[in-house]
Amino acid sequence: MDVAGNRPRTVVSGGPLELVVMWGGFPLLGAAAGGLLALAAGWVAGLPWAPVQWLFGLLDRLPDAQAIAGTAAVGALAGLVVAGNGTAERLVVTVDAAQVRLRRAGKDRTVGRAETRVVFVDDGRLVLLDSDGAELARESTDLPADRLTAAFRTHGWGWADGDPHRSAYRLWVPELPGLPTGADALLQARDRAVRKDRRDDARELRRELGRLGVVLRDEEKRQYWRLNGRAVTPGQQETTSAERGPEGR
């Protein structure tokens, strides 16, 4: 139970209907596509530009019943693989007055309300920011925005209808001034990772940039950046304890 607000936790997920669609619909679509492929094998095999003509020729030489059964089975199996991946990648959001739990692929991540200043959905991503404008979490999701809005507002979280820092982002180009030391090299590496669709590398480089105080957003494989309140840029002076006077001035 939610002690602070005396409300039960709110769970936002795709629900059982989404699972039925994935585990029932994808295998059926795969089987249907496989069967149609077998029926069209002879026509495709006769196209001079068609890829893997030998495979279509082989299907065309098989009895129709065997060809259709085999390709339908392969299509259904492919549909099950897609359903399994989709189920694993589903985001489940559990909110109460003290924290939010983000669950994906069997892994949980918890963020406390006390450290969170604002929550919003930005281009299909659920984002939580702290008081310095640094990202506490950024998770891709296709969950309905109205359900997420209701869940967080019900438990007293600060919710925004869009990114409050959106106007602060600048398009990244190599050797652009104003970035913390080392950030440009990380952005160049991440640019290559994004263009080659290496998502794990891009995700890890985003985390490294976050440690330097750089917050990113991607638009059509272009990187936009801003600095959070903890970023230190070249030439910026930080007063250390050794530089302060005896009274801490």
Side-chain angles (χ1 to χ4, degrees), residues 36-241:
L36 290 174
L37 184 64
L39 291 174
W43 173 72
V44 176
L47 298 175
W49 48 264
V52 291
Q53 283 184 306
W54 65 269
L55 178 59
F56 290 103
L58 176 62
L59 287 174
D60 188 44
R61 289 192 294 272
L62 291 174
D64 288 346
Q66 292 182 15
I68 292 173
T71 54
V74 172
L77 180 60
L80 289 171
V81 171
V82 171
N85 290 336
T87 301
E89 289 301 314
R90 288 200 321 160
L91 179 68
V92 179
V93 180
T94 305
V95 191
D96 61 31
Q99 63 183 23
V100 58
R101 186 182 70 186
L102 307 172
R103 183 174 181 82
R104 190 194 299 276
K107 297 180 180 179
D108 289 342
R109 181 177 181 184
T110 302
V111 181
R113 178 183 166 192
E115 59 185 315
T116 305
R117 178 179 174 272
V118 65
V119 188
F120 56 92
V121 172
D122 178 50
D123 292 336
R125 291 170 175 81
L126 178 65
V127 183
L128 286 77
L129 302 181
D130 66 14
S131 58
D132 287 319
E135 286 185 353
L136 298 170
R138 173 180 284 265
E139 294 286 346
S140 60
T141 179
D142 56 2
L143 294 172
D146 57 342
R147 291 179 59 196
L148 290 170
T149 301
F152 281 96
R153 285 182 171 168
T154 295
H155 296 287
W157 291 64
W159 179 270
D161 292 329
D163 188 346
H165 300 280
R166 192 177 184 95
S167 62
Y169 285 90
R170 302 168 59 189
L171 175 65
W172 172 78
V173 294
E175 301 181 7
L176 187 73
L179 284 163
T181 302
D184 190 70
L186 291 172
L187 282 162
Q188 292 188 46
R190 189 174 184 275
D191 180 63
R192 292 190 294 270
V194 169
R195 293 184 184 280
K196 294 180 179 179
D197 203 28
R198 298 200 305 261
R199 298 182 183 181
D200 290 342
D201 291 346
R203 191 178 298 114
E204 180 60 31
L205 288 163
R206 173 189 285 276
R207 284 194 287 265
E208 291 298 321
L209 284 157
R211 294 186 181 100
L212 296 179
V214 180
V215 184
L216 297 178
R217 58 178 292 117
D218 296 317
E219 293 184 13
E220 298 180 354
K221 296 193 175 182
R222 292 180 295 182
Q223 300 181 106
Y224 291 78
W225 64 276
R226 66 173 176 84
L227 300 179
N228 64 41
R230 296 192 293 273
V232 178
T233 57
Q236 183 176 346
Q237 296 295 323
E238 283 192 318
T239 304
T240 66
S241 58

